[in-house]
Amino acid sequence: SHIFKKNRDLTKAWKGKTDQLLRVDEHDFTMRPAFGGPAIPVGVDVQVESLDSISEVDMDFTMTLYLRHYWKDERLSFPSTNNKSMTFDGRLVKKIWVPDVFFVHSKRSFIHDTTTDNIMLRVFPDGHVLYSMRITVTAMCNMDFSHFPLDSQTCSLELESYAYTDEDLMLYWKNGNESLKTDEKISLSQFLIQKFHTTSRLAFYSSTGWYNRLYINFTLRRHIFFFLLQTYFPATLMVMLSWVSFWIDRRAVPARVSLGITTVLTMSTIITGVNASMPRVSYIKAVDIYLWVSFVFVFLSVLEYAAVNYLTTVQERKERKLRERFSCSCGIPHSKTMMLDGNYSESDANSLAGYTRNQMVPEEEKPEKMVVHLAMSNESNSSRKRGLKGHVGLRIIQNTHAIDKYSRLIFPGTYIFFNLIYWSVFS
């Protein structure tokens, strides 16, 4: 059988409380160790448990971490035969001196207290102390959204002593960059954590002096895929949808107007939705450039139809006047009027109508389009059918305005060129 020996209960051996074991009542712990002497070095290391959230609207981040301090206080030394440390909870912290480290630019912070205060104090026989606590802190992060959403943000959590200057307390990273540990499971929905690193420098206050300040820096790269689906892709589709009106008959006013107004209102909704989730910064963001240029393309497609409709109205007014001027059919039965495009030759027009050009229009009053009266006898049914087919085909050609033809090439080509420049600059 094995005989198990129990460890000796030090509280019974010392016949007193734990604070008597550390001789807490024999010293004034309101003063720092080696008060009046050189600055006491306090080492710091941090283990980041989670990066909870990044808020663009409030320009802050929330982080949960384990903050540990290392220093030596000879007043806490105690005799030990096995050189083992003693561990205490947060109740002893209120009775001894601990560094007064605070978070610079912190908005909210708290020490976790479930089920008890998450504080640990470990004291070694030679007086070295390890002080650890679990904290959640929300701190400010100055973000630059000029490249949003194709941006990278660098934020920092800053630690500093509140009361002790560098002449009384020297804060330093205990193991350099190795003093910062991160959990491998840390991830964010909209960001990719690229880098964690530490730095330190002196901070000066005109009223109190110089202080040691420690920095926990981390770089975040935003995931672009979400914004491609929610912003860029819908905006591009709206621009392409506005180009459909270039292939619709220019006389279909309700169709082209409703299509233009719908795309304009949809682009306005997309712009409003993006800006609602962003801080009201005074500079232009990358997404603003893309959305507003897309909005301009959609708006120009509406103006393009306004120009086409106006020119069509002016052209029809001229044709109406010309038709009224030459409305006489000269006694030819079953006469029908046919409007020829200027691309038809003079011989074609003469062969169709049977009249010379001088009989129709004076030389000095040559119109852009020629009005020809076709006398169709009842006996020439085949000629009549051919004439009707030619008339319908000619009207279809005339229903496409020259501005629409050029817009079918200019609008897509310009928008593709803009996309090439945009993604090469901001990506």
Side-chain angles (χ1 to χ4, degrees):
S1 63
H2 297 280
I3 299 175
F4 297 95
K5 295 182 180 180
K6 295 183 179 180
N7 293 330
R8 187 164 55 111
D9 191 347
L10 294 180
T11 59
K12 292 180 179 180
W14 284 88
K15 297 180 181 181
K17 298 179 181 179
T18 305
D19 56 0
Q20 292 177 348
L21 172 64
L22 297 178
R23 301 193 302 274
V24 174
D25 296 332
E26 299 179 9
H27 303 282
D28 184 6
F29 282 97
T30 60
M31 299 182 180
R32 68 173 179 85
F35 184 80
I40 174 175
V42 176
V44 176
D45 70 31
V46 172
Q47 180 174 347
V48 179
E49 181 183 11
S50 64
L51 194 57
D52 301 323
S53 64
I54 305 290
S55 175
E56 291 90 354
V57 177
D58 299 326
M59 285 195 180
D60 60 24
F61 65 92
T62 302
M63 178 185 293
T64 300
L65 51 89
Y66 295 94
L67 178 61
R68 304 185 184 98
H69 306 81
Y70 303 84
W71 75 93
K72 184 176 182 181
D73 191 345
E74 294 181 354
R75 297 172 294 183
L76 297 176
S77 60
F78 60 91
S80 176
T81 57
N82 53 11
N83 200 30
K84 289 186 177 180
S85 62
M86 291 188 298
T87 302
F88 308 96
D89 58 18
R91 286 171 287 189
L92 184 61
V93 174
K94 301 177 181 178
K95 299 180 180 181
I96 65 173
W97 180 90
V98 294
D100 60 338
V101 174
F102 78 105
F103 297 101
V104 185
H105 306 308
S106 171
K107 296 182 178 181
R108 297 174 299 275
S109 60
F110 62 91
I111 299 175
H112 291 258
D113 55 0
T114 304
T115 57
T116 59
D117 292 340
N118 296 173
I119 296 176
M120 183 200 71
L121 191 71
R122 183 171 293 168
V123 182
F124 293 85
D126 58 354
H128 280 87
V129 181
L130 165 60
Y131 175 43
S132 176
M133 49 189 163
R134 183 168 175 254
I135 302 175
T136 294
V137 55
T138 300
M140 183 180 65
C141 178
N142 293 323
M143 301 182 183
D144 181 14
F145 297 107
S146 58
H147 284 68
F148 177 87
L150 306 168
D151 59 333
S152 295
Q153 302 295 340
T154 300
C155 301
S156 62
L157 184 64
E158 306 171 14
L159 296 83
E160 183 182 303
S161 172
Y162 191 83
Y164 298 102
T165 65
D166 61 337
E167 296 179 354
D168 293 319
L169 189 146
M170 183 181 67
L171 276 180
Y172 69 96
W173 289 111
K174 189 173 184 297
N175 298 312
N177 281 331
E178 298 297 325
S179 302
L180 180 61
K181 305 291 184 181
T182 58
D183 195 329
E184 296 180 355
K185 298 181 180 179
I186 294 179
S187 62
L188 294 170
S189 59
Q190 293 190 24
F191 291 92
L192 172 66
I193 303 176
Q194 290 186 320
K195 183 180 180 183
F196 270 99
H197 66 282
T198 61
T199 55
S200 61
R201 65 186 67 176
L202 289 174
F204 177 73
Y205 298 90
S206 58
S207 301
T208 53
W210 293 89
Y211 295 80
N212 295 109
R213 182 177 294 183
L214 306 180
Y215 295 81
I216 302 174
N217 304 309
F218 56 95
T219 303
L220 304 173
R221 177 81 177 176
R222 194 182 305 273
H223 294 300
I224 186 60
F225 189 70
F226 170 81
F227 296 94
L228 287 176
L229 293 179
Q230 297 296 322
T231 303
Y232 287 95
F233 189 61
T236 303
L237 286 182
M238 287 301 104
V239 175
M240 297 175 65
L241 184 61
S242 67
W243 299 340
V244 175
S245 64
F246 303 151
W247 278 267
I248 299 178
D249 187 357
R250 58 177 173 168
R251 302 181 188 278
V253 178
R256 295 190 67 163
V257 171
S258 60
L259 180 61
I261 296 301
T262 301
T263 52
V264 168
L265 293 179
T266 305
M267 283 301 305
S268 300
T269 303
I270 294 175
I271 294 174
T272 303
V274 172
N275 291 329
S277 60
M278 294 296 299
R280 298 179 180 179
V281 295
S282 58
Y283 50 84
I284 298 176
K285 305 180 291 292
V287 67
D288 294 335
I289 296 176
Y290 193 90
L291 292 180
W292 280 105
V293 170
S294 300
F295 182 85
V296 169
F297 271 89
V298 172
F299 187 73
L300 287 179
S301 67
V302 179
L303 295 183
E304 186 269 349
Y305 178 63
V308 169
N309 187 268
Y310 174 76
L311 294 178
T312 301
T313 304
V314 172
Q315 179 181 340
E316 288 180 348
R317 188 182 298 117
K318 292 180 179 180
E319 293 174 356
R320 192 180 303 113
K321 292 180 180 180
L322 189 62
R323 206 175 290 119
E324 291 174 356
R325 184 174 180 180
F326 300 98
S327 59
C328 178
S329 60
C330 301
I332 302 177
H334 308 290
S335 64
K336 295 185 180 294
T337 301
M338 183 182 209
M339 185 174 60
L340 297 180
D341 197 312
N343 295 330
Y344 278 74
S345 64
E346 181 180 354
S347 59
D348 294 335
N350 294 336
S351 61
L352 286 172
Y355 295 100
T356 62
R357 187 168 175 270
N358 294 331
Q359 290 177 306
M360 295 177 53
V361 184
E363 181 67 25
E364 61 274 7
E365 298 180 3
K366 177 183 176 182
E368 183 181 354
K369 298 191 183 295
M370 302 173 62
V371 179
V372 180
H373 297 276
L374 298 181
M376 298 185 181
S377 62
N378 295 329
E379 293 144 2
S380 57
N381 292 332
S382 60
S383 300
R384 182 184 307 171
K385 293 180 180 180
R386 286 195 299 269
L388 289 174
K389 291 180 180 180
H391 181 72
V392 173
L394 187 59
R395 298 304 298 173
I396 293 175
I397 295 175
Q398 290 176 347
N399 287 340
T400 301
H401 199 277
I403 297 180
D404 285 338
K405 295 179 181 179
Y406 290 122
S407 298
R408 295 171 187 175
L409 298 177
I410 295 175
F411 274 73
T414 307
Y415 194 69
I416 292 173
F417 180 71
F418 161 72
N419 274 271
L420 293 176
I421 296 178
Y422 179 87
W423 293 107
S424 62
V425 171
F426 290 103
S427 61

